[in-house]
Amino acid sequence: MAINGIQFQKGLSLSAFLREYGTEAQCEEAFIKARWPCGFICPCCAHDKAYEFKRRALRYRQCGSCRHQTSLRAGTVMEHGRLPLTKWYLAIYLVTQSKTNIAALALMRQLGVSWKAAWLLKHKLMEVMAQREADRPLSGDIRVDDAYLGGERVGKR
Ligand SMILES: [Zn+2]
């Protein structure tokens, strides 16, 4: 039997993930690079200078030009939560690495959060993934792994 290249794609191992994103500082640095790859840009006036300050343990940036205040999480799926970035990043890893859809209960145990928090995290992540892919229909050579179509009908032949 030939090896299916799709099934043997290189992924990010849990140990490699934890080396990259194991601390709050690592996650914050990665988030800043993803959010503002060319440095801070004010969402209101596009000015590139800001002052940082803390309010209730959260770091904010105030635009040096229009004085608009924003945070790293503002306008993202993480905006209204107080969970540490390490929990968010690990949730993203677990939800995206699971081939068979990780259960909220499993996520709760893996993250060490309440079931309600795990359920909300999972559904928020699934929603943003769906939004991200909504305007990118599949095209070209499409391969589906482990798809089950049809099957037996209960009570019918
Ligand atoms: Zn501004």
Side-chain angles (χ1 to χ4, degrees), residues 33-44:
K33 281 183 185 170
R35 184 100 202 260
W36 298 306
C38 300
F40 174 80
I41 302 287
C42 175
C44 287

Side-chain angles (χ1 to χ4, degrees), residues 40 42-47 49 63-68:
F40 174 80
C42 175
C44 287
C45 71
H47 188 68
K49 300 278 186 281
C63 175
S65 177
C66 74
R67 304 176 59 87
H68 175 76

Side-chain angles (χ1 to χ4, degrees), residues 24-74:
E24 197 66 14
Q26 288 173 310
C27 291
E28 187 172 303
E29 188 181 323
F31 197 11
I32 289 170
K33 281 183 185 170
R35 184 100 202 260
W36 298 306
C38 300
F40 174 80
I41 302 287
C42 175
C44 287
C45 71
H47 188 68
D48 63 353
K49 300 278 186 281
Y51 307 98
E52 282 193 24
F53 65 95
K54 272 191 169 182
R55 185 187 311 144
R56 282 183 253 137
L58 291 177
R59 288 180 17 185
Y60 289 85
R61 287 169 174 78
Q62 180 170 310
C63 175
S65 177
C66 74
R67 304 176 59 87
H68 175 76
Q69 295 179 353
T70 189
S71 70
L72 184 58
R73 296 180 184 210

